[in-house]
Amino acid sequence: MQKRPTLLVLAAGMASRYGSLKQLDGFGPNGETIIDYSIHDAVKAGFGKILFVIRQSIAEEFKAVMLHRLPAHVPVGYVAQELDMLPLGYSVPDRREKPWGTGHAVWVASSQIDEPFAVINADDFYGYESLRMIVEFLNNSTDCQEHGLIGFQLANTLSEHGSVSRGICAVAPDDSLASLTELTKIVRTNAGEILVQDEDAPHQQLQGNAIVSMNLMAFKPSVFPYFEKYLKAFLHEKGRDLKAEFYLPAVVNKMIAAGEARVKVIPTPEKWFGVTYPEDKSTAMQSIKNLIKARVYPENLWETSQ
């Protein structure tokens, strides 16, 4: 019998643009975090375990918040993501403070996962239908080299208060991912245009209906050797760069280009929201209020779930 999939929650980010620990910031009427809503949806969708990637410096506070909120019947685990957690033979350069990135976060979790799993960011709201579709994919896909990606429309994933990073998807006619390009400075102008301000792609204009990845991806355990392979390649090439990050989309892109994996793109009808800047908080709180008013969520999220 196939194991129920695990949800891997990337919660080790430093939230430098937000200014505080947004992973634990309250957005719901009873102080619920965005993670709370994701876990609520994940349990309903059929995930069997929740695994958090966190930093040791926030571990005590993080676990204290989660301990009394999450349903007792759902197995929960934690894995640390630290700068010195690297493959044998590699070391942290002097003055490096920035985490190694989302791809590294998945790599450090590999020792605790031997079943199909999905990845989400702690500070992104994906919606129940997105998580239901990713579980359905993992339950039905029998090819160990086939993985999945939930695609959102770019226009529904922007902040009104600054630039955002998004993985732009090129989708083949058979709904497989042809390529995934990480752009780190996407903005919407006052005129409504969506522009790229990356140094490598200045002033490129994007369409609002472009499909983007918000790091909600589904993988089989067979993917882990590739994460190690490409992490080593990254460290060899950019390991002394104090700000370079090993992005999850970069691993996916390299696997596709090398013919090592097929990734099915699964469009979601859900609207994303999240918090990149402090000014995003009020918008996120209002979005949750609207969902409660529409009876998507109860007023007290965990009252009947313990």
Side-chain angles (χ1 to χ4, degrees):
M1 182 177 178
Q2 182 176 325
K3 289 185 179 180
R4 295 171 70 189
T6 286
L7 183 68
L8 182 63
V9 183
L10 307 186
M14 298 182 73
S16 56
R17 288 181 289 187
Y18 190 66
S20 63
L21 200 61
K22 60 182 174 180
Q23 299 95 315
L24 300 179
D25 205 354
F27 295 88
N30 302 288
E32 292 92 347
T33 65
I34 289 180
I35 296 174
D36 283 315
Y37 290 94
S38 293
I39 302 306
H40 179 275
D41 289 341
V43 173
K44 182 180 176 182
F47 283 94
K49 177 184 175 181
I50 311 299
L51 183 61
F52 293 104
V53 178
I54 57 176
R55 287 176 281 121
Q56 288 287 6
S57 60
I58 68 170
E60 185 176 352
E61 182 182 0
F62 192 96
K63 292 178 182 180
V65 170
M66 292 297 148
L67 179 64
H68 301 294
R69 291 190 176 183
L70 304 184
H73 68 279
V74 179
V76 175
Y78 299 89
V79 60
Q81 181 187 11
E82 302 297 329
L83 286 177
D84 60 355
M85 292 179 174
L86 294 172
L88 189 64
Y90 295 90
S91 61
V92 183
D94 293 340
R95 304 191 312 279
R96 172 90 192 193
E97 296 180 359
K98 193 177 186 66
W100 289 111
T102 52
H104 178 255
V106 175
W107 178 78
V108 300
S110 60
S111 62
Q112 296 195 34
I113 300 175
D114 61 3
E115 63 279 328
F117 68 101
V119 179
I120 65 169
N121 296 330
D123 55 342
D124 288 327
F125 177 92
Y126 298 97
Y128 167 72
E129 192 63 17
S130 301
L131 291 164
R132 184 199 66 76
M133 289 191 297
I134 212 75
V135 169
E136 181 178 49
F137 167 79
L138 287 171
N139 287 340
N140 293 333
S141 175
T142 58
D143 182 352
C144 68
Q145 297 302 116
E146 181 185 45
H147 311 289
L149 181 154
I150 294 293
F152 287 80
Q153 288 200 7
L154 174 60
N156 293 332
T157 71
L158 301 175
S159 170
E160 299 300 324
H161 306 291
S163 65
V164 297
S165 299
R166 297 290 179 258
I168 308 298
C169 300
V171 184
D174 65 352
D175 294 327
S176 65
L177 186 66
S179 65
L180 184 55
T181 304
E182 184 79 4
L183 298 177
T184 57
K185 291 184 179 179
I186 300 175
V187 298
R188 178 155 40 203
T189 68
N190 291 335
E193 293 180 326
I194 302 174
L195 298 178
V196 181
Q197 295 183 340
D198 289 44
E199 293 181 2
D200 295 334
H203 307 299
Q204 174 185 347
Q205 186 169 350
L206 300 173
Q207 297 301 311
N209 63 354
I211 298 297
V212 301
S213 165
M214 298 302 298
N215 277 359
L216 175 45
M217 301 184 194
F219 296 105
K220 316 294 174 52
S222 60
V223 80
F224 289 126
Y226 299 111
F227 272 85
E228 175 145 349
K229 169 185 174 181
Y230 291 117
L231 174 58
K232 289 179 177 178
F234 164 83
L235 292 169
H236 180 74
E237 180 183 356
K238 299 181 178 180
R240 311 318 291 178
D241 184 334
L242 301 183
K243 294 185 178 180
E245 290 188 66
F246 181 54
Y247 291 116
L248 172 56
V251 181
V252 172
N253 212 32
K254 288 179 181 295
M255 288 193 300
I256 293 171
E260 296 162 337
R262 177 183 182 274
V263 178
K264 181 179 180 180
V265 178
I266 308 165
T268 178
E270 296 279 8
K271 291 186 177 181
W272 169 95
F273 63 82
V275 284
T276 303
Y277 302 93
E279 296 83 357
D280 292 327
K281 182 172 182 176
S282 60
T283 302
M285 292 179 72
Q286 185 60 53
S287 296
I288 289 173
K289 285 182 181 178
N290 293 342
L291 290 168
I292 292 172
K293 186 176 180 180
R295 298 188 178 181
V296 175
Y297 299 106
E299 182 84 16
N300 189 327
L301 190 64
W302 298 116
E303 188 174 40
T304 60
S305 301
Q306 299 295 337

